Amino acid sequence: MSTIPVGTFAIDAAHSEVGFIVRHSGIAKVRGRFTDFNGSFTVAENFADSSAQVTIQAASVHTGNEQRDGHLRSADFWNAEATPEWTFVSTSVSGSGEEFVLGGDLTINGVTKPVALDVEVNGAIGAEGEEQVGLSISTEISRKEFGLTWNVALEGGGLLVGDKVKIVIEIEAARETANV
């Protein structure tokens, strides 16, 4: 049994964050986030039948450095003009309760690959029909698997941008009310 109430929940983007962490110059980590995203998830009576979907606007990247953000939006990286939306659509749920794995198809840069998201339920509050839930979600992907291969060899060895990208998501979502 899930600790999340049964129903459909809309992500509250104002209280949520979709972020990433990637190694830079072989010695540091750069963090970034997306400021334009939306999605929802449905918790089913049979938890294994639950589902989720998210859409991220690739151009909404923010790393705290406008020059880097522009480079990430360019054809060198994810070509946000040609592939403006990234999506996640769930295909499976395993486990239940406070921690579970959400399997699904992640599409970045027009390339779709299966991923497994580790989900931790932070809590649920409110009366029936007014529930809100909080989730922490993470995974690690290979950017090369999504066609993100731009890089520069460093003089002392290694590469400017690491291949492994940690995705870190904090979600606050509210139950959608039925239209009558």
Side-chain angles (χ1 to χ4, degrees):
M1 186 60 123
S2 165
T3 58
I4 305 172
V6 170
T8 299
F9 294 81
I11 294 172
D12 176 357
H15 295 101
S16 300
E17 184 171 282
V18 176
F20 62 89
I21 304 166
V22 65
R23 188 162 302 280
H24 182 261
S25 297
I27 59 169
K29 292 182 180 179
V30 169
R31 296 173 189 273
R33 62 187 172 89
F34 295 92
T35 59
D36 188 358
F37 57 91
N38 64 69
S40 64
F41 55 91
T42 299
V43 179
E45 288 285 344
N46 176 5
F47 191 63
D49 294 332
S50 299
S51 62
Q53 64 80 28
V54 174
T55 300
I56 299 167
Q57 299 304 314
S60 73
V61 66
H62 179 75
T63 64
N65 180 300
E66 189 54 44
Q67 183 178 359
R68 177 174 42 227
D69 295 348
H71 192 204
L72 290 172
R73 291 181 195 108
S74 78
D76 281 348
F77 282 91
W78 51 70
N79 198 358
E81 190 172 315
T83 55
E85 290 187 340
W86 295 358
T87 60
F88 172 81
V89 178
S90 67
T91 56
S92 67
V93 179
S94 59
S96 63
E98 298 294 320
E99 296 181 4
F100 57 93
V101 175
L102 184 62
D105 292 326
L106 178 63
T107 301
I108 295 176
N109 204 31
V111 177
T112 302
K113 296 287 181 183
V115 296
L117 305 178
D118 296 317
V119 181
E120 176 185 356
V121 178
N122 295 324
I125 60 169
E128 186 172 330
E130 299 287 325
E131 292 97 350
Q132 293 180 306
V133 298
L135 306 171
S136 292
I137 304 166
S138 65
T139 194
E140 187 173 273
I141 63 170
S142 162
R143 67 185 186 92
K144 292 176 186 173
E145 288 183 1
F146 291 91
L148 304 173
T149 58
W150 182 91
N151 226 327
V152 172
L154 299 173
E155 189 175 311
L159 297 171
L160 183 64
V161 183
D163 177 47
K164 298 296 180 190
V165 179
K166 184 168 179 118
I167 298 173
V168 196
I169 304 166
E170 294 296 328
I171 296 294
E172 185 174 311
R175 179 189 290 275
E176 293 182 347
T177 55
N179 294 331
V180 280

